């Protein structure tokens, strides 16, 4: 395995396409459909990289980025 990547996107077609491409290159892919789920998966899965959509329901990518600036998230960086 090359590494673990978290893909956060509310569009199921985009999520599926990115997942297929990354898995074909040997990456383990974890997915989430909104920012809230993305942050939960970030804690649980500790991926090497996160690909984040900006425009999503519940919590958009901008809010996720702002949340990640909080010192509580420093151990996940």
């Amino acid at each position: 395995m090359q590494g673990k990547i978290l893909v956060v996107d509310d569009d199921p077609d985009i999520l599926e396409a990115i997942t297929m491409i990354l898995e074909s290159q040997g990456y383990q892919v974890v997915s989430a459909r909104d920012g809230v789920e993305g942050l939960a998966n970030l804690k649980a899965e500790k991926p090497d990289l996160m690909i984040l959509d900006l425009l999503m329901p519940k919590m958009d990518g901008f809010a996720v980025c702002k949340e990640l600036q909080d010192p509580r998230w420093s151990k996940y960086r």
Side-chain angles (χ1 to χ4, degrees):
M1 275 291 160
Q2 299 239 17
K4 187 186 298 187
I5 300 176
L6 170 60
V7 181
V8 185
D9 199 308
D10 62 318
D11 184 323
D13 294 330
I14 292 175
L15 202 55
E16 182 180 351
I18 293 173
T19 298
M20 284 180 20
I21 291 166
L22 293 173
E23 286 179 345
S24 75
Q25 296 301 309
Y27 294 98
Q28 180 183 353
V29 178
V30 179
S31 62
R33 296 192 183 269
D34 60 56
V36 174
E37 187 181 349
L39 288 173
N41 285 352
L42 185 66
K43 280 183 183 178
E45 298 289 337
K46 297 178 181 64
D48 300 298
L49 175 74
M50 178 169 59
I51 299 174
L52 179 64
D53 184 17
L54 293 178
L55 303 175
M56 296 180 291
K58 292 186 184 177
M59 181 182 226
D60 66 20
F62 295 108
V64 171
C65 288
K66 185 171 181 170
E67 175 68 23
L68 291 175
Q69 292 174 359
D70 187 294
R72 295 176 296 151
W73 288 95
S74 63
K75 64 184 172 185
Y76 300 101
R77 293 182 196 146

